[in-house]
Amino acid sequence: MFRVSNNLVGILNFITFLLSIPILWAGIWLKNKGTSECDKFLDTPIIILGVFLLLVSLAGLIGACCRVSWLLWAYLVVMFFLIILLFCFTIFAFVVTNKGAGQVLSGKGYKEYKLGDYSNWLQKRVSNGKNWGKIKSCLIDAKVCSDFNQKFMNDTVDLLYTRHLSALQAGCCKPSDSCGFLYKSPINWEKTPTNSTSDPDCNAWDNQINVLCFNCNSCKAGLLDNLKRDWKKVAVINIIFLVFLIIVYSVGCCAFRNNRRDNNSYSAGWKHP
């Protein structure tokens, strides 16, 4: 007799199977049609995720509905390791994002971001030249500073200082206040020869739209501040998803037990007609 747990596992995995198709298609589309470094950076993880969901959902669907015990057992093993992996990642996300915050500036509507305020692990990720090259390409493609310039191009310097800028706008699209540059426009600042500072970000600044402060530590810190907030949101979602996976895993265990019981009953009936 077919059990409720088998039906439930089958339904859940059928839904997952349907969801994996557009994810896989999106990854393949990015691989073939993506033009920027940012697009190419995303295609492989998306394809891997789509293939993984496709195979796991098929294993759970066939194992539960067709009562293939070994396939359902493989599905449960993968689910178990997925639960452990997700649990570890959630703890890790809370740990590495627990440190670091923007510094409030007197009379300014935005904050200043220092790379050294964030966790060493995150600092190493953005300090790697290869990693930062890809991230910088994504920021340029996203027109973070182009939109910033378009939005505030008519502002005076005093008005710009009162704006509530995002971490990326404050860190990547304008020089640090300590540089003392002369304001021309939101992304055009004149370096003054009389001003001397030990801040390396001042030397890294350039008025070219594809340079600006994208090589500055303040830009890397602004990205980490965004990442910190996003990872905390993801960690909360992971907790909810983790509870869901544990429920699915428990139901899958019941379905596996049902399969073994039915197979044993079938074998006993075959031997003793």
Side-chain angles (χ1 to χ4, degrees):
M1 181 180 177
F2 212 63
R3 313 296 174 91
V4 174
S5 56
N6 292 70
N7 282 329
L8 190 54
V9 171
I11 291 171
L12 291 173
N13 281 283
F14 181 70
I15 294 173
T16 305
F17 171 77
L18 293 179
L19 290 174
S20 69
I21 295 174
I23 293 174
L24 185 58
W25 179 85
I28 294 172
W29 185 88
L30 279 176
K31 190 173 185 66
N32 294 327
K33 302 292 184 180
T35 55
S36 69
E37 187 67 30
C38 190
D39 292 337
K40 295 175 182 177
F41 182 68
L42 292 172
D43 60 11
T44 302
I46 292 175
I47 291 174
I48 292 174
L49 176 62
V51 171
F52 175 78
L53 290 176
L54 184 69
L55 295 177
V56 171
S57 60
L58 280 176
L61 183 63
I62 296 172
C65 296
C66 300
R67 290 183 288 184
V68 182
S69 295
W70 71 266
L71 203 53
L72 192 56
W73 178 84
Y75 167 79
L76 291 174
V77 169
V78 172
M79 286 288 289
F80 175 78
F81 282 110
L82 183 60
I83 289 171
I84 298 297
L85 183 65
L86 194 59
F87 175 78
C88 293
F89 174 76
T90 302
I91 298 298
F92 174 76
F94 276 117
V95 170
V96 299
T97 58
N98 191 45
K99 186 180 177 184
Q103 299 174 3
V104 177
L105 299 174
S106 177
K108 304 292 171 62
Y110 52 85
K111 296 179 180 180
E112 191 171 72
Y113 301 89
K114 300 292 185 181
L115 185 60
D117 292 341
Y118 297 87
S119 71
N120 291 331
W121 188 88
L122 287 176
Q123 287 185 51
K124 289 178 181 178
R125 302 287 80 75
V126 296
S127 296
N128 180 283
K130 185 177 180 181
N131 290 344
W132 184 248
K134 293 179 179 179
I135 294 170
K136 183 170 67 173
S137 174
C138 291
L139 295 176
I140 294 172
D141 288 342
K143 301 185 183 301
V144 172
C145 292
S146 297
D147 292 343
F148 164 76
N149 183 52
Q150 192 72 25
K151 185 175 182 180
F152 303 118
M153 65 185 307
N154 295 321
D155 283 9
T156 62
V157 65
D158 291 330
L159 181 57
L160 182 68
Y161 283 157
T162 64
R163 298 291 191 183
H164 296 285
L165 306 180
S166 69
L168 288 176
Q169 288 173 338
C172 305
C173 304
K174 58 177 289 298
S176 172
D177 292 358
S178 64
C179 297
F181 294 164
L182 293 177
Y183 176 81
K184 299 296 183 181
S185 74
I187 59 170
N188 192 337
W189 299 73
E190 183 181 329
K191 294 183 178 181
T192 54
T194 57
N195 184 277
S196 59
T197 177
S198 59
D199 190 346
D201 285 358
C202 298
N203 293 325
W205 171 265
D206 193 289
N207 287 327
Q208 294 182 50
I209 189 63
N210 289 339
V211 180
L212 300 180
C213 219
F214 286 119
N215 294 317
C216 299
N217 286 333
S218 62
C219 186
K220 297 173 183 178
L223 176 82
L224 293 185
D225 194 76
N226 270 14
L227 189 65
K228 175 185 172 180
R229 292 199 305 269
D230 291 342
W231 271 32
K232 284 193 172 180
K233 293 175 185 176
V234 169
V236 173
I237 295 172
N238 280 350
I239 293 174
I240 299 171
F241 188 52
L242 192 59
V243 173
F244 172 75
L245 284 180
I246 292 173
I247 294 172
V248 173
Y249 179 78
S250 301
V251 175
C253 289
C254 293
F256 179 69
R257 189 163 55 247
N258 291 340
N259 282 3
R260 293 192 64 180
R261 187 182 297 123
D262 290 344
N263 289 338
N264 291 337
S265 299
Y266 178 79
S267 299
W270 179 262
K271 291 179 182 178
H272 303 285

